[in-house]
Amino acid sequence: STVSQETGLPNRAAFREKLPDVESPALFLVKIDNIDPLASFYGEAAATEIEKHITAFLDQEQPEEFKENGELYHLGRGMFGFLVMTKDTQITETKARRLAQDLEEKFSTGNSVAKADHYDLDLTIVISFDKDNLLGKSEVALEEAVRRKCSIMMADEVVQDVYQGIGENILWLKKVKEAVQNDRLLPFYQPIYNSNIEAPDKYEALVRMIDDDGSVVSPWRFLTIAKNSKYYPDITKIMVKKAMEEFIQREEGVSVNLSALDIENQSIRTY
């Protein structure tokens, strides 16, 4: 089906069918902030009702340029898009921002969505002129706009850096997985000196990764990524195990750093 059951608008499938026929597209991607928590709290029926109100608002308040040269799509829960053909109408970046700002200001007054006001709704709008992977790049930029709490954003301003960051995260997540599986995570020991005897009486175990080329990788490069993966508890267990094995026959003490994630993790506490 190419029609949204919730709003009656053409859906994501219809958008993908239409896009190849649009020579010079501009996409104004509009997202209802916090739609997923609202759906979880108030229920799916309430979320659908909100989407219907937003559909009515967007249809009524859309700029003339959109009515004459574009079409409104329902692209996902709480996400709508105006696909505008710009070949015969001049929409510069400055004008695009103004159109988006006008739309956002009209929405913020609440006049057209009065029935949904008690949900405290806000919109985030991303604008893109890049036909190559238009929707995908716009959605990436939308996530970044929400993260930055930016109401209106040009996709081209951020998408290259975001894509680069995603690529690096994927690479280092792969390295973390291989390091866990191939026993290439090691504790490096930093001595803590007792000034009275001028000798270390304990050590702090600090995690290091041995890369596949044998180089030593500092934790700033991989630990944050690891904390957002399922491999982080494995790293903590490896560090504890190796530090205990190293110091069980030694007089000095040893400490292993634990994060809040470790302390909250039942399996780590048990271990």
Side-chain angles (χ1 to χ4, degrees):
S1 173
T2 56
V3 177
S4 166
Q5 294 182 354
E6 292 80 10
T7 62
L9 293 173
N11 62 14
R12 200 179 187 94
F15 179 92
R16 295 192 182 281
E17 288 183 5
K18 179 68 174 180
L19 185 58
D21 299 329
V22 182
E23 185 176 338
S24 302
L27 177 61
F28 290 74
L29 193 62
V30 181
K31 174 75 173 181
I32 308 170
D33 295 351
N34 299 319
I35 186 67
D36 291 329
L38 287 171
S40 298
F41 188 79
Y42 291 107
E44 292 294 335
T48 298
E49 194 66 21
I50 290 171
E51 289 182 316
K52 290 179 179 178
H53 287 308
I54 301 302
T55 299
F57 162 77
L58 294 174
D59 184 61
Q60 178 180 335
E61 301 293 349
Q62 63 179 296
E64 288 300 320
E65 291 86 348
F66 294 4
K67 292 180 182 179
E68 296 171 0
N69 299 286
E71 189 169 10
L72 177 61
Y73 292 82
H74 187 187
L75 298 170
R77 177 149 72 180
M79 186 165 64
F80 301 83
F82 289 104
L83 179 61
V84 184
M85 294 167 281
T86 63
K87 183 178 180 181
D88 298 322
T89 184
Q90 291 298 316
I91 298 183
T92 63
E93 179 178 327
T94 300
K95 184 174 182 180
R97 284 185 181 274
R98 180 179 59 77
L99 293 172
Q101 287 168 355
D102 289 346
L103 192 64
E104 196 273 335
E105 287 173 4
K106 288 177 181 178
F107 181 81
S108 64
T109 66
N111 293 333
S112 298
V113 284
K115 294 182 179 178
D117 272 354
H118 62 283
Y119 295 121
D120 192 21
L121 302 175
D122 289 302
L123 297 182
T124 298
I125 304 174
V126 163
I127 308 159
S128 179
F129 294 92
D130 186 358
K131 186 174 181 178
D132 180 32
N133 193 18
L134 179 64
L135 183 54
K137 289 180 179 178
S138 297
E139 287 179 313
V140 167
L142 183 65
E143 290 183 8
E144 183 66 9
V146 171
R147 188 185 71 82
R148 296 186 186 185
K149 298 179 173 60
C150 181
S151 296
I152 298 171
M153 179 178 285
M154 299 297 300
D156 292 344
E157 293 176 355
V158 298
V159 74
Q160 183 174 352
D161 290 342
V162 172
Y163 265 61
Q164 182 177 347
I166 292 172
E168 290 179 356
N169 287 347
I170 292 172
L171 171 65
W172 282 99
L173 182 59
K174 180 175 182 290
K175 287 179 178 289
V176 167
K177 176 182 177 181
E178 292 175 348
V180 169
Q181 293 177 340
N182 299 322
D183 194 26
R184 286 195 278 105
L185 288 161
L186 301 175
F188 277 34
Y189 298 103
Q190 175 171 276
I192 299 174
Y193 280 82
N194 184 329
S195 59
N196 293 324
I197 61 175
E198 297 183 350
D201 62 0
K202 70 177 297 185
Y203 289 81
E204 180 182 13
L206 303 172
V207 66
R208 297 293 185 269
M209 178 195 294
I210 307 303
D211 209 346
D212 49 14
D213 63 0
S215 61
V216 178
V217 182
S218 294
W220 71 266
R221 195 68 193 81
F222 65 87
L223 201 55
T224 299
I225 294 170
K227 285 181 178 180
N228 292 317
S229 76
K230 64 181 181 181
Y231 304 108
Y232 181 67
D234 295 322
I235 294 175
T236 299
K237 290 178 181 180
I238 289 169
M239 286 293 292
V240 171
K241 182 175 185 294
K242 290 188 174 182
M244 296 304 104
E245 289 176 344
E246 176 72 25
F247 278 81
I248 194 169
Q249 300 295 337
R250 296 179 59 147
E251 294 183 359
E252 305 97 333
V254 64
S255 65
V256 177
N257 295 319
L258 300 177
S259 71
L261 292 175
D262 294 314
I263 296 169
E264 292 169 358
N265 187 312
Q266 178 64 53
S267 70
I268 293 296
R269 296 203 305 272
T270 302
Y271 183 81

